Amino acid sequence: MIEAVAIITGASKGIGRSISLGLAKLNYKTLLFARNETELIGLCDEIKVKYPNTPEPKYYVCDLLDSEKTSEILQSVIQEYSQIDILVN
């Protein structure tokens, strides 16, 4: 079975964080993008504890203003997952 994949930018705080938790609850494979690695790790840990049966979340430390790094990360995401079902930007 193919997992549904969701990319959430600004995932470490506020609305992005809430959406990340909501999509994890719905069993999406959450790919979390933000600038703060510590907060992303905390969010991944929270998802694993709250929703142990959901696909393992993955995080990417990235400033979307850095178009070169963002493009590089997105290329690797596309290669690894071959699909993106939801983009929250």
Side-chain angles (χ1 to χ4, degrees):
M1 183 174 139
I2 297 175
E3 298 172 336
V5 177
I7 291 177
I8 304 98
T9 64
S12 64
K13 295 181 182 178
I15 294 170
R17 186 176 185 286
S18 294
I19 291 171
S20 299
L21 289 165
L23 290 171
K25 183 178 181 180
L26 295 172
N27 270 351
Y28 278 84
K29 170 73 175 180
T30 53
L31 307 181
L32 312 170
F33 284 65
R35 293 176 294 191
N36 187 307
E37 184 171 23
T38 302
E39 291 178 358
L40 285 168
I41 291 169
L43 177 56
C44 285
D45 291 343
E46 184 175 352
I47 288 171
K48 291 177 203 175
V49 169
K50 284 186 172 181
Y51 312 111
N53 296 322
T54 198
E56 176 111 10
K58 189 167 183 181
Y59 73 88
Y60 300 87
V61 178
C62 182
D63 184 342
L64 295 181
L65 294 176
D66 183 344
S67 60
E68 188 173 313
K69 183 173 181 180
T70 301
S71 178
E72 182 181 301
I73 291 171
L74 288 175
Q75 289 299 328
S76 70
V77 165
I78 290 167
Q79 282 185 324
E80 185 171 350
Y81 298 100
S82 72
Q83 70 182 44
I84 298 167
D85 299 293
I86 293 179
L87 170 62
V88 178
N89 191 1

